[in-house]
Amino acid sequence: MLMTRDRDVTAKSNYAFTLYPDEKRLADTLAQAAQKRSYRRVAILRPAGGKSDKVAEYFKKDVLAQGGTV
C-alpha cells in the first residue's frame, strides 16, 4: 500500500493506483455542481493548515475556466 499523493508514483505501475483523495476530481465535481446551480461568483474558505490547497487551486481554475469569478 502506497500512502502518497504523488501521481507519478502510480502512473508507471500496473499494481499501484490512487484511491483517495483525488483532489482534481473533487474540485471538478464541485465546480460542475456550482455551474449547474448557476453560481457565477464563489468564495473559497479554507483552513490555514495547507491540506486543502490543491483542491482550492483546482476548483479556482475550473470556476475561472467556466467564466465565473472567485
Side-chain angles (χ1 to χ4, degrees):
M1 179 180 289
L2 301 172
M3 302 295 284
T4 180
R5 292 181 179 192
D6 185 358
R7 293 175 185 266
D8 293 334
V9 172
T10 59
K12 299 174 186 170
S13 175
N14 294 328
Y15 304 102
F17 53 92
T18 302
L19 278 179
Y20 184 78
D22 185 346
E23 292 93 352
K24 176 120 177 67
R25 183 176 289 166
L26 174 60
D28 291 346
T29 301
L30 291 171
Q32 288 172 8
Q35 184 181 36
K36 192 177 201 178
R37 290 173 175 80
S38 299
Y39 297 163
R40 303 295 294 152
R41 294 173 37 186
V42 297
I44 300 173
L45 304 175
R46 58 189 170 92
K51 288 186 178 182
S52 62
D53 289 352
K54 281 188 177 183
V55 175
E57 284 303 313
Y58 287 135
F59 178 70
K60 182 178 179 179
K61 233 185 243 186
D62 288 345
V63 169
L64 295 174
Q66 294 171 1
T69 57
V70 177

